[in-house]
Structure formats: C-alpha cells, structure tokens
Amino acid sequence: MLQIPDDRPSIPADHAVPAYLKDTYNWAYLDPRNTRLLDNEAVVGVILFGNHVRLRNAALAEIKPGQSVLQAAHVYGTYIPEIARRVGPTGSLDSIDIAPIQAALCRRKLWGMKQAHARIADASKPGDGLYDVVSCYFLLHEVPDDMKQAIVTALLERVAPGGRAMFVDYHRPSRLHPLRGFYRKLFEKLEPFALSMWDHEIRDLGADAAAFEWSKQTFFGGVFQKTVARRRVST
C-alpha cells in the first residue's frame, strides 16, 4: 500500500512568520492557491526572463557528489531536488524555510530522497551544523536590509573550512540595459527590498567576509549575479 508522505514539518515552539513576509509576500509564498501555481519551472523561467536554467546550472556547478549542502530557503521549480540528486546517496541536503507552507512544499519534492530533508528555520538562525556548500538562491532581495546582513553573516558561519557559500540573486544592471527601467518599476511595485541589491556587494553584508575569498559572475547584462565565498583554510 502506497504511503502518503507527511508533508508537514514540525514547527518550532517559538516560531513565527515575520511581519515583512506576511505584509509583502503573502500572495507569493503564503497563499496556498498561488504557491501551487508559482511552484513551476515554466513560471520561474518567465519570471527570470528565460535565465532560470542558466542560473540554476551555474549554481549546481558549485556542488559535487558526496558533499553536505545547506539550502537557505525553498526555491520554486526543480532546483532543490536537483541539489539532492547532485549530492547523491553519499551526500546530504538540509533545506530550510521560515514559512511552514514552503517547508512542506520542499519536503514533498524531496520525498524518497533519503539524503535530503526539509525543516522550518529562519535563514538568519539556520542551526549549528557546518556544510561543504551553503546555497542562497534568490532570497536576499526578498528581505529587509538588516535581515540581509543577518542572513549573510549566519550563512557564512555555517561554511566548513575549505567550503563555500553561494549567493545567486539580482544585481545592478548595466547602465544601458534596455530593461533597467522596467526592473526598477517592478521592484518598486512588487519587490520593495530588491533595489538595495543594486547598491551593495554581497561580500559587504557578512560580518566575517575577510575569512573568505570572493568571486562574482554576472548574467543577462548585469541583472543577475552568482557570488561565491570560499572559506580560507588556516595554515
């Protein structure tokens, strides 16, 4: 008899969904009807102007079989199951999200993958473990600036010696980009915390940034970035 997976991760006793998420993104991440519609590869591709596969593959290239990975929030589409398949049975994937409905969606995607699990947690308080790779995929533009700093600092702390943190997110477009004005209007209307990504380097958000070697690659005329922080190994 087929067993239906328990898709309700346990909720910590002191857990609360933050006000900024309820006030700004209820339609996208907390409304059950919309989450079903948006959690789709085709929709993600449209939102990212056809760059989703390229960005997803660039992120996955940082992950190798057998590694331990912390994923800082649920991601619509197939990105998280792809991580689980990439690390394989000798690796591990620990995926967190602050919203119970998002953690449940993630857990359902990972059903049957024994190397992966999903839990409810704040990315600024992800727990005490150390990981080979920490992945933060299009999360920072959705949180207030103080949370950006708290999340980057907390995620860097979870990187094991020789490991890396990877941030894929928005970036300041080139000055002559034809969609620069469009993105500004879009962010002002739907993504009120995103414009600050144009003014700050991710490396400047982390309290212990000097312990890492940083690199950045941009995509689509500067609209998107992949920033990688590799923790230096002490000698």
Side-chain angles (χ1 to χ4, degrees), residues 58 62 165-173 197-204 213-219 222-230:
E62 300 292 332
M166 167 183 55
F167 303 89
V168 177
D169 219 302
Y170 286 103
H171 182 270
R172 177 184 288 274
M197 298 297 296
W198 290 17
D199 300 323
H200 303 287
E201 294 289 344
I202 291 174
R203 66 171 299 162
D204 295 334
E213 296 178 356
W214 293 81
S215 63
K216 182 175 71 174
Q217 180 182 5
T218 60
F219 303 83
V223 172
F224 307 108
Q225 66 177 303
K226 182 182 81 169
T227 293
V228 177
R230 296 173 177 83

Side-chain angles (χ1 to χ4, degrees), residues 47 106 157:
I47 292 172
C106 185
E157 290 175 350

Side-chain angles (χ1 to χ4, degrees), residues 2-233:
L2 179 65
Q3 293 184 342
I4 303 299
D6 180 1
D7 58 1
R8 296 168 298 177
S10 59
I11 301 177
D14 60 347
H15 181 77
V17 175
Y20 75 81
L21 183 58
K22 292 186 286 188
D23 294 343
T24 307
Y25 291 109
N26 182 78
W27 65 274
Y29 297 118
L30 304 179
D31 185 319
R33 294 168 299 179
N34 288 346
T35 58
R36 288 193 294 270
L37 293 173
L38 295 171
D39 193 4
N40 181 287
E41 279 286 287
V43 173
V44 176
V46 171
I47 292 172
L48 297 180
F49 275 82
N51 290 276
H52 170 53
V53 172
R54 186 182 182 194
L55 293 167
R56 182 193 65 196
N57 291 345
L60 291 172
E62 300 292 332
I63 300 168
K64 296 178 175 58
Q67 288 185 322
S68 58
V69 178
L70 172 65
Q71 169 57 37
H74 180 230
V75 179
Y76 285 156
T78 64
Y79 175 64
I80 290 179
E82 289 290 345
I83 295 177
R85 284 187 280 269
R86 195 166 185 90
V87 300
T90 61
S92 65
L93 169 60
D94 183 13
S95 183
I96 63 174
D97 200 285
I98 200 168
I101 188 173
Q102 292 296 323
L105 285 170
C106 185
R107 188 172 186 179
R108 187 174 298 181
K109 290 179 184 178
L110 296 173
W111 185 49
M113 299 181 180
K114 295 182 179 180
Q115 71 272 31
H117 70 282
R119 58 186 172 91
I120 299 168
D122 187 333
S124 68
K125 301 173 184 177
D128 298 326
L130 294 179
Y131 303 83
D132 298 314
V133 180
V134 174
S135 168
C136 185
Y137 194 89
F138 283 100
L139 170 63
L140 294 179
H141 75 279
E142 295 180 335
V143 300
D145 287 355
D146 60 336
M147 286 298 298
K148 287 179 174 62
Q149 295 177 337
I151 288 172
V152 172
T153 295
L155 295 183
L156 291 179
E157 290 175 350
R158 304 276 59 84
V159 179
R164 67 191 65 187
M166 167 183 55
F167 303 89
V168 177
D169 219 302
Y170 286 103
H171 182 270
R172 177 184 288 274
S174 61
R175 187 174 300 277
L176 298 179
H177 198 293
L179 295 178
R180 184 184 175 103
F182 166 80
Y183 274 109
R184 180 177 290 278
K185 293 295 184 183
L186 178 68
F187 291 162
E188 289 173 352
K189 185 173 182 62
L190 295 178
E191 304 271 15
F193 311 122
L195 271 175
S196 67
M197 298 297 296
W198 290 17
D199 300 323
H200 303 287
E201 294 289 344
I202 291 174
R203 66 171 299 162
D204 295 334
L205 299 174
D208 195 26
F212 295 80
E213 296 178 356
W214 293 81
S215 63
K216 182 175 71 174
Q217 180 182 5
T218 60
F219 303 83
F220 196 48
V223 172
F224 307 108
Q225 66 177 303
K226 182 182 81 169
T227 293
V228 177
R230 296 173 177 83
R231 183 179 288 279
R232 294 187 174 94
V233 179

